[in-house]
Structures are given as C-alpha cells and as structure tokens.
Amino acid sequence: MPKVVDHDARRQELAEATWRLIRREGLEAVSVRKVAREAGVSPGSLRHYFTSQSELLAYALRMVGERIEQRIRSLEPGQTLEDHVQALIEQVLPLDEERATEAVIWLAFVGKALVDPELAKLATETHNALYHLFHQLIKAMVRHGALPRETDVELEARRLHALVDGLALHGVASEEPLSPQMIRQIVAHHLEQLAAKAGAVPGRGEA
Amino acid sequence: MPKVVDHDARRQELAEATWRLIRREGLEAVSVRKVAREAGVSPGSLRHYFTSQSELLAYALRMVGERIEQRIRSLEPGQTLEDHVQALIEQVLPLDEERATEAVIWLAFVGKALVDPELAKLATETHNALYHLFHQLIKAMVRHGALPRETDVELEARRLHALVDGLALHGVASEEPLSPQMIRQIVAHHLEQLAAKAGAVPGRGEA
DNA sequence: TCGCTTATGATACAGCTGTGCTAAAATGAA
DNA sequence: TTCATTTTAGCACAGCTGTATCATAAGCGA
C-alpha cells in the first residue's frame, strides 16, 4: 500500500492544527503535546516532522503568508483600479473566519517577535512584504491619476499599512470586534479620501 | 523605624518590575518567580501583595492605563486645536522609551486578551476608553469647524483609532521600527487630510 | 523472502510553572 | 519589655514544558 499522504502534506496538516490551537487558545498554548493531540498524532510522531517547536511555529507562520499571497495572486483584476485595490487590501483583513484566523496568528506572532529574535526575522519579512505591496499600490494609483501627483508615496503607504494592521487588530478584538462591514467601509472611505484631491486638482497632465 | 514604603507603593514597584520583564522578554516570560527576582524580593513576598498571577497582570495593565490617562490630563491646551489633538494622540504612541514600553505592554495584553476572557474584559475597557477619546476629539473638531460638518464622526473615530493602534504596533516592531518622526508626520498628515475638505467646502455656516 | 527506510508511539529526564503552606523576621502599639 | 500584626523567606506539591532516546510498526524495493 502506498503512502496515504506524503511528508509535506503531513507537515501542512500539523501546521493547520497549530493554527486552530492558536486561534482557540493563543500562541502561548501551543505545545508539542497539544498540537499533536489536536492533529491526532503522537508527540513523538510530530517530532519526526518538526525537530523543534520553533521550526513548527516558523513553518506555520510561513504558510499563513503563502496562503495570503496565493489568494492575492489568484485575484482577477477588478472593474476599476479602486475596486481592485480595495479587493487586494481585503485579503489581509479579518472579513471572514479564515482571514480572522490568519489575523490572529499574525498578531500573535508579531507580539512574540517583539522579544524573540528568531521569529523577528520572519515577522519582518512578512511585514516588509506587506509594506511593499501597499507601496506599489499607492504608486500605481498615482501613475494612473487616481491619486494626486504630489502624493508622498512612502508616507501614504506607511499610513495605509498602519491603518490596515490596526483594522486587523480591531477586527479580531475579543469583545465587540469591528464588523466586516465597518472595516470595509473604513478602507473604502480611506481610499476615497486619498483620491479626493486628485479630483479637486484638475491638473492631471504635465505641469 | 517606620515602614519604608507602604502597601500600595510596593504593589506599584512590583507592577513596574512586571513592565520591565514584559518589555524585555515578553508577556509569556512573566512568571511569579521572575517578577520577584526582577523586583528583588522573594516569590513568597510577591505572593503576599498579589494572591494570584492574573491579579498581578491585571494590576500592571491597569497602571499603564492610569499613567497614560494622567499624562493626558496634565496636558495643557495647545496653541491651536489641531496642535492639541496631535499632542493628545501622541500620548499613546511609542515616541520615547516610556511610551514604547507602554505600547509593548498594551499590545502584549491585547494579544493575550484574544484568548483569555479574564483579560479580555479589562482590555476592552481600555480599548473603549481610547475609542471614546478619539470620538470626542473628532466631534470637537467638527464643532469648532476644523472638520467638515458632514463628517461621519464614528467612521473617522474608528479610522483614527485603527491608525493609531497600527502606528503603535509598527513603532515597536522588532526590526526597523517606524521612527518617531515618521509616526508624528503620519498623524499630522492624517489630521490635515481630515481637515482638508473643511477648507475646501466654504459652507461653514448653516445650510 | 529479506532488509532498509520511514513513521509511529511511549517513556524518561530535567526544568520551569502557579500556588499553598509554614516558620521566621521585622515592625509598631501597648 | 510584651504582644499582635505585617512582611518576608523558603519549601513542597502537582502539573506542564521541550527534547532525547528507544523500540516497535509499517511501507516498499530487492
């Protein structure tokens, strides 16, 4: 009989069990034994796939990033540029259970990365990747005339980045979290306000 | 010889030791023994001031809130309303070591509150208090004509709140944190942009 | 069939955890 | 001083932690 699942698929299952655990009980609750129990395997077996706990955690975090990345890549271009930008941003916001879980995991890791140099490197990678995305979005919108030509791209990218991470945080807050509707509305409003001056300033051509 | 310090002062010292520990090693690293060692007392002694660990943590978090609150209260009104608002917001942003420590503590607690119902209640209180402050600020600015009359106060308060928490997060990020200058600039820019339409729309009087 | 690799399960170890308990020390009033 | 209260220190308990080691079991090419 052939192997039911291969090595990588098993690692992914274990990572998903880790996600569920983080989502339910937080990152601190993640222990080798609990993850194994959650995944329905023995602790010794888990250890066969991940030599150390940090290796498991790093893998679990990396998979979150890849899942988001894949979702973004498979996003077909929207009607207008603004719609597309909104759709892109919504991929990293806790608008459904799947993305809420990702947000919780992400925030938990960032919190731990504040003091764990090992995870800090990984967290910084993801952080910078997201900033880079926002930077490109802003730049593209300026290029297409959706944003004023005098827009400070870095400033707006950092502002959008902070807003999005803040919304993610508030969207998964324990009590009375920000509703998906409100989150969407805030993002839309932010993009509108960004573009406001583009309409007000008629000089869209060369100076 | 009279008592060198009284009961409450001792509790405060222990809370500050807890802060230092959280700042240095994270919330997970907080154990009864470590806090006691950090404060230079025996674990048994610590237990005399705080019956349980959660009582210590709750006290430590509450004290952060009170310190911020006191800083805000002792803030003398700025030259313009915009300056005052900026100064208020800056009290909760990691612009120096003291406020960075507060931000780390706050974020650590929020992370833990995601899964700990005990702390969730306390975290929600602080969260709501900050939202309430922002709500009042926006409302005051609208009343003073610094913001357009048609401003959606709740929306803008939530947006500002998310932005501020996001900036706090990025300001204490492990590697290449957002610089205080950049944080200040982003807040100032946000407030300017908020006010932009107030100037553009001349109808400041009755409709 | 044999033999090798991979996978699994179980156990053990040292270390840390929160908390409870007990006895000593220090303090302050009588 | 004497006495009662507060404060401190230390120890013990049960439980959980990451990790290492080992023996068993399963899969699979020869």
Side-chain angles (χ1 to χ4, degrees), chain A residues 98-137:
Chain A
E98 178 179 337
R99 284 172 278 183
T101 298
E102 291 168 358
V104 169
I105 294 170
W106 169 241
L107 291 170
F109 269 101
V110 168
K112 196 182 176 79
L114 290 182
V115 294
D116 183 339
E118 279 285 331
L119 286 178
K121 194 164 164 294
L122 187 52
T124 302
E125 277 179 32
T126 314
H127 178 90
N128 287 343
L130 195 54
Y131 168 72
H132 188 243
L133 171 66
F134 290 149
H135 191 94
Q136 284 191 315
L137 288 184

Short mmCIF file of all heavy atoms in Angstrom, two decimals, chain A residues 98-137:
data_model
loop_
_atom_site.label_atom_id
_atom_site.label_comp_id
_atom_site.label_asym_id
_atom_site.label_seq_id
_atom_site.Cartn_x
_atom_site.Cartn_y
_atom_site.Cartn_z
N GLU A 98 -11.78 32.53 7.98
CA GLU A 98 -10.46 32.14 7.50
C GLU A 98 -9.45 33.28 7.71
O GLU A 98 -8.37 33.09 8.27
CB GLU A 98 -10.53 31.77 6.02
CG GLU A 98 -9.19 31.40 5.41
CD GLU A 98 -9.31 31.02 3.94
OE1 GLU A 98 -10.41 30.61 3.52
OE2 GLU A 98 -8.31 31.11 3.21
N ARG A 99 -9.84 34.47 7.27
CA ARG A 99 -8.91 35.60 7.39
C ARG A 99 -8.79 36.08 8.82
O ARG A 99 -7.76 36.63 9.22
CB ARG A 99 -9.38 36.74 6.46
CG ARG A 99 -9.07 36.46 5.01
CD ARG A 99 -9.70 37.47 4.08
NE ARG A 99 -11.11 37.18 3.80
CZ ARG A 99 -11.86 37.89 2.98
NH1 ARG A 99 -11.35 38.95 2.36
NH2 ARG A 99 -13.11 37.57 2.78
N ALA A 100 -9.84 35.87 9.61
CA ALA A 100 -9.74 36.23 11.03
C ALA A 100 -8.71 35.36 11.73
O ALA A 100 -7.90 35.84 12.53
CB ALA A 100 -11.10 36.10 11.71
N THR A 101 -8.74 34.07 11.39
CA THR A 101 -7.73 33.17 11.95
C THR A 101 -6.33 33.61 11.56
O THR A 101 -5.42 33.66 12.39
CB THR A 101 -7.98 31.73 11.45
OG1 THR A 101 -9.26 31.30 11.89
CG2 THR A 101 -6.91 30.79 11.97
N GLU A 102 -6.17 33.96 10.30
CA GLU A 102 -4.87 34.44 9.85
C GLU A 102 -4.44 35.68 10.60
O GLU A 102 -3.27 35.83 10.98
CB GLU A 102 -4.92 34.73 8.34
CG GLU A 102 -5.06 33.51 7.47
CD GLU A 102 -5.39 33.85 6.03
OE1 GLU A 102 -5.53 35.06 5.73
OE2 GLU A 102 -5.50 32.94 5.21
N ALA A 103 -5.38 36.57 10.82
CA ALA A 103 -5.06 37.81 11.53
C ALA A 103 -4.62 37.53 12.96
O ALA A 103 -3.64 38.11 13.46
CB ALA A 103 -6.27 38.76 11.52
N VAL A 104 -5.36 36.64 13.62
CA VAL A 104 -4.99 36.29 15.00
C VAL A 104 -3.59 35.70 15.04
O VAL A 104 -2.76 36.05 15.89
CB VAL A 104 -6.02 35.30 15.59
CG1 VAL A 104 -5.51 34.72 16.90
CG2 VAL A 104 -7.35 35.99 15.80
N ILE A 105 -3.32 34.79 14.11
CA ILE A 105 -2.00 34.17 14.06
C ILE A 105 -0.92 35.22 13.81
O ILE A 105 0.11 35.26 14.48
CB ILE A 105 -1.97 33.09 12.95
CG1 ILE A 105 -2.92 31.95 13.31
CG2 ILE A 105 -0.56 32.58 12.74
CD1 ILE A 105 -3.14 30.97 12.18
N TRP A 106 -1.20 36.07 12.86
CA TRP A 106 -0.23 37.12 12.52
C TRP A 106 0.05 38.02 13.72
O TRP A 106 1.22 38.28 14.07
CB TRP A 106 -0.73 37.93 11.34
CG TRP A 106 0.05 39.18 11.08
CD1 TRP A 106 -0.40 40.46 11.11
CD2 TRP A 106 1.45 39.26 10.76
NE1 TRP A 106 0.62 41.33 10.85
CE2 TRP A 106 1.77 40.63 10.63
CE3 TRP A 106 2.47 38.32 10.59
CZ2 TRP A 106 3.05 41.07 10.33
CZ3 TRP A 106 3.75 38.76 10.30
CH2 TRP A 106 4.02 40.12 10.16
N LEU A 107 -1.00 38.45 14.38
CA LEU A 107 -0.82 39.34 15.54
C LEU A 107 -0.10 38.63 16.67
O LEU A 107 0.75 39.22 17.35
CB LEU A 107 -2.18 39.86 16.00
CG LEU A 107 -2.86 40.82 15.02
CD1 LEU A 107 -4.30 41.09 15.43
CD2 LEU A 107 -2.07 42.13 14.94
N ALA A 108 -0.42 37.36 16.86
CA ALA A 108 0.25 36.61 17.92
C ALA A 108 1.74 36.51 17.64
O ALA A 108 2.57 36.70 18.55
CB ALA A 108 -0.36 35.21 18.02
N PHE A 109 2.08 36.28 16.40
CA PHE A 109 3.48 36.16 16.04
C PHE A 109 4.21 37.50 16.18
O PHE A 109 5.34 37.54 16.66
CB PHE A 109 3.63 35.62 14.62
CG PHE A 109 3.70 34.14 14.56
CD1 PHE A 109 2.59 33.39 14.21
CD2 PHE A 109 4.88 33.48 14.85
CE1 PHE A 109 2.65 32.01 14.16
CE2 PHE A 109 4.96 32.10 14.80
CZ PHE A 109 3.83 31.36 14.45
N VAL A 110 3.55 38.55 15.75
CA VAL A 110 4.17 39.87 15.87
C VAL A 110 4.45 40.17 17.34
O VAL A 110 5.52 40.66 17.70
CB VAL A 110 3.28 40.96 15.25
CG1 VAL A 110 3.79 42.34 15.63
CG2 VAL A 110 3.24 40.81 13.74
N GLY A 111 3.48 39.84 18.17
CA GLY A 111 3.67 40.06 19.60
C GLY A 111 4.85 39.28 20.14
O GLY A 111 5.66 39.81 20.90
N LYS A 112 4.96 38.04 19.72
CA LYS A 112 6.06 37.22 20.18
C LYS A 112 7.38 37.67 19.57
O LYS A 112 8.44 37.60 20.20
CB LYS A 112 5.80 35.75 19.82
CG LYS A 112 6.69 34.76 20.58
CD LYS A 112 6.40 33.34 20.14
CE LYS A 112 7.32 32.32 20.79
NZ LYS A 112 6.95 31.99 22.16
N ALA A 113 7.30 38.15 18.34
CA ALA A 113 8.51 38.58 17.64
C ALA A 113 9.14 39.80 18.31
O ALA A 113 10.32 40.08 18.12
CB ALA A 113 8.20 38.89 16.18
N LEU A 114 8.33 40.51 19.09
CA LEU A 114 8.85 41.69 19.78
C LEU A 114 10.00 41.31 20.70
O LEU A 114 10.86 42.14 21.00
CB LEU A 114 7.74 42.37 20.60
CG LEU A 114 6.64 43.06 19.81
CD1 LEU A 114 5.64 43.71 20.75
CD2 LEU A 114 7.24 44.11 18.88
N VAL A 115 10.01 40.08 21.15
CA VAL A 115 11.04 39.67 22.10
C VAL A 115 11.80 38.43 21.66
O VAL A 115 12.78 38.04 22.28
CB VAL A 115 10.41 39.40 23.48
CG1 VAL A 115 9.88 40.70 24.07
CG2 VAL A 115 9.30 38.39 23.38
N ASP A 116 11.36 37.79 20.59
CA ASP A 116 12.02 36.59 20.11
C ASP A 116 12.75 36.89 18.80
O ASP A 116 12.12 37.00 17.74
CB ASP A 116 10.97 35.48 19.91
CG ASP A 116 11.61 34.17 19.48
OD1 ASP A 116 12.74 34.19 18.97
OD2 ASP A 116 10.98 33.12 19.66
N PRO A 117 14.06 37.02 18.85
CA PRO A 117 14.84 37.38 17.65
C PRO A 117 14.68 36.38 16.52
O PRO A 117 14.74 36.75 15.35
CB PRO A 117 16.29 37.39 18.16
CG PRO A 117 16.18 37.53 19.64
CD PRO A 117 14.92 36.84 20.03
N GLU A 118 14.48 35.12 16.86
CA GLU A 118 14.29 34.09 15.84
C GLU A 118 13.08 34.43 14.96
O GLU A 118 13.18 34.51 13.74
CB GLU A 118 14.05 32.73 16.52
CG GLU A 118 15.30 32.02 16.98
CD GLU A 118 16.06 31.42 15.81
OE1 GLU A 118 15.43 31.07 14.80
OE2 GLU A 118 17.30 31.32 15.91
N LEU A 119 11.96 34.65 15.64
CA LEU A 119 10.74 34.95 14.90
C LEU A 119 10.76 36.36 14.32
O LEU A 119 10.09 36.65 13.35
CB LEU A 119 9.52 34.80 15.83
CG LEU A 119 9.13 33.37 16.16
CD1 LEU A 119 7.96 33.34 17.12
CD2 LEU A 119 8.76 32.63 14.88
N ALA A 120 11.54 37.24 14.94
CA ALA A 120 11.57 38.63 14.50
C ALA A 120 11.95 38.73 13.02
O ALA A 120 11.35 39.48 12.26
CB ALA A 120 12.55 39.42 15.36
N LYS A 121 12.91 37.94 12.63
CA LYS A 121 13.38 37.98 11.25
C LYS A 121 12.25 37.60 10.30
O LYS A 121 11.99 38.27 9.30
CB LYS A 121 14.57 37.02 11.10
CG LYS A 121 15.37 37.21 9.83
CD LYS A 121 16.72 36.52 9.93
CE LYS A 121 17.36 36.35 8.56
NZ LYS A 121 16.62 35.42 7.69
N LEU A 122 11.58 36.52 10.65
CA LEU A 122 10.48 36.03 9.82
C LEU A 122 9.34 37.04 9.79
O LEU A 122 8.74 37.31 8.74
CB LEU A 122 10.00 34.69 10.38
CG LEU A 122 8.98 33.92 9.57
CD1 LEU A 122 9.43 33.78 8.13
CD2 LEU A 122 8.75 32.57 10.20
N ALA A 123 9.02 37.59 10.95
CA ALA A 123 7.94 38.57 11.03
C ALA A 123 8.26 39.80 10.20
O ALA A 123 7.40 40.37 9.53
CB ALA A 123 7.67 38.94 12.48
N THR A 124 9.52 40.21 10.25
CA THR A 124 9.93 41.39 9.49
C THR A 124 9.79 41.16 8.00
O THR A 124 9.34 42.05 7.26
CB THR A 124 11.39 41.74 9.83
OG1 THR A 124 11.51 41.95 11.23
CG2 THR A 124 11.82 42.99 9.08
N GLU A 125 10.13 39.95 7.57
CA GLU A 125 9.95 39.62 6.15
C GLU A 125 8.52 39.85 5.71
O GLU A 125 8.25 40.53 4.72
CB GLU A 125 10.30 38.14 5.92
CG GLU A 125 11.78 37.86 5.74
CD GLU A 125 12.02 36.36 5.54
OE1 GLU A 125 11.14 35.69 4.96
OE2 GLU A 125 13.09 35.88 5.98
N THR A 126 7.60 39.26 6.44
CA THR A 126 6.18 39.38 6.10
C THR A 126 5.73 40.83 6.19
O THR A 126 5.01 41.33 5.32
CB THR A 126 5.34 38.50 7.05
OG1 THR A 126 5.95 37.23 7.17
CG2 THR A 126 3.93 38.35 6.52
N HIS A 127 6.16 41.49 7.24
CA HIS A 127 5.82 42.90 7.44
C HIS A 127 6.28 43.72 6.24
O HIS A 127 5.51 44.51 5.67
CB HIS A 127 6.50 43.39 8.72
CG HIS A 127 6.27 44.83 9.02
ND1 HIS A 127 5.22 45.28 9.78
CD2 HIS A 127 6.97 45.94 8.66
CE1 HIS A 127 5.27 46.59 9.88
NE2 HIS A 127 6.33 47.02 9.22
N ASN A 128 7.50 43.52 5.83
CA ASN A 128 8.05 44.30 4.71
C ASN A 128 7.37 43.96 3.40
O ASN A 128 7.16 44.84 2.55
CB ASN A 128 9.56 44.06 4.59
CG ASN A 128 10.32 44.73 5.71
OD1 ASN A 128 9.79 45.62 6.39
ND2 ASN A 128 11.56 44.32 5.91
N ALA A 129 7.01 42.68 3.25
CA ALA A 129 6.31 42.28 2.02
C ALA A 129 4.99 43.02 1.90
O ALA A 129 4.62 43.49 0.82
CB ALA A 129 6.09 40.78 2.03
N LEU A 130 4.30 43.15 3.02
CA LEU A 130 3.01 43.84 3.01
C LEU A 130 3.21 45.33 2.72
O LEU A 130 2.47 45.92 1.93
CB LEU A 130 2.30 43.64 4.35
CG LEU A 130 0.82 43.98 4.37
CD1 LEU A 130 0.07 43.23 3.28
CD2 LEU A 130 0.20 43.67 5.73
N TYR A 131 4.21 45.90 3.36
CA TYR A 131 4.50 47.32 3.10
C TYR A 131 4.81 47.53 1.63
O TYR A 131 4.35 48.48 1.01
CB TYR A 131 5.67 47.81 3.96
CG TYR A 131 6.17 49.16 3.52
CD1 TYR A 131 5.42 50.31 3.75
CD2 TYR A 131 7.38 49.29 2.83
CE1 TYR A 131 5.85 51.54 3.33
CE2 TYR A 131 7.82 50.52 2.39
CZ TYR A 131 7.06 51.64 2.65
OH TYR A 131 7.48 52.86 2.22
N HIS A 132 5.59 46.62 1.09
CA HIS A 132 5.97 46.72 -0.32
C HIS A 132 4.75 46.68 -1.22
O HIS A 132 4.65 47.43 -2.20
CB HIS A 132 6.93 45.58 -0.67
CG HIS A 132 7.52 45.69 -2.03
ND1 HIS A 132 7.31 44.77 -3.03
CD2 HIS A 132 8.33 46.64 -2.58
CE1 HIS A 132 7.94 45.14 -4.12
NE2 HIS A 132 8.58 46.27 -3.88
N LEU A 133 3.81 45.83 -0.86
CA LEU A 133 2.57 45.74 -1.64
C LEU A 133 1.83 47.08 -1.62
O LEU A 133 1.41 47.60 -2.65
CB LEU A 133 1.67 44.63 -1.07
CG LEU A 133 0.26 44.56 -1.63
CD1 LEU A 133 0.30 44.18 -3.11
CD2 LEU A 133 -0.60 43.56 -0.86
N PHE A 134 1.70 47.63 -0.42
CA PHE A 134 0.99 48.90 -0.29
C PHE A 134 1.72 50.01 -1.03
O PHE A 134 1.10 50.87 -1.67
CB PHE A 134 0.83 49.26 1.19
CG PHE A 134 -0.13 48.37 1.91
CD1 PHE A 134 0.03 48.08 3.25
CD2 PHE A 134 -1.22 47.82 1.25
CE1 PHE A 134 -0.86 47.26 3.92
CE2 PHE A 134 -2.12 47.00 1.90
CZ PHE A 134 -1.93 46.72 3.24
N HIS A 135 3.03 49.98 -0.97
CA HIS A 135 3.83 50.98 -1.67
C HIS A 135 3.55 50.92 -3.17
O HIS A 135 3.34 51.95 -3.82
CB HIS A 135 5.31 50.74 -1.38
CG HIS A 135 6.21 51.84 -1.83
ND1 HIS A 135 6.62 52.86 -1.00
CD2 HIS A 135 6.78 52.11 -3.03
CE1 HIS A 135 7.41 53.70 -1.66
NE2 HIS A 135 7.53 53.26 -2.90
N GLN A 136 3.51 49.71 -3.68
CA GLN A 136 3.25 49.54 -5.11
C GLN A 136 1.84 49.97 -5.48
O GLN A 136 1.62 50.58 -6.52
CB GLN A 136 3.47 48.09 -5.50
CG GLN A 136 4.94 47.72 -5.60
CD GLN A 136 5.12 46.36 -6.26
OE1 GLN A 136 4.42 45.41 -5.92
NE2 GLN A 136 6.05 46.27 -7.19
N LEU A 137 0.90 49.68 -4.58
CA LEU A 137 -0.48 50.07 -4.86
C LEU A 137 -0.61 51.59 -4.97
O LEU A 137 -1.20 52.11 -5.91
CB LEU A 137 -1.41 49.55 -3.76
CG LEU A 137 -1.68 48.05 -3.72
CD1 LEU A 137 -2.68 47.71 -2.63
CD2 LEU A 137 -2.20 47.60 -5.08
#
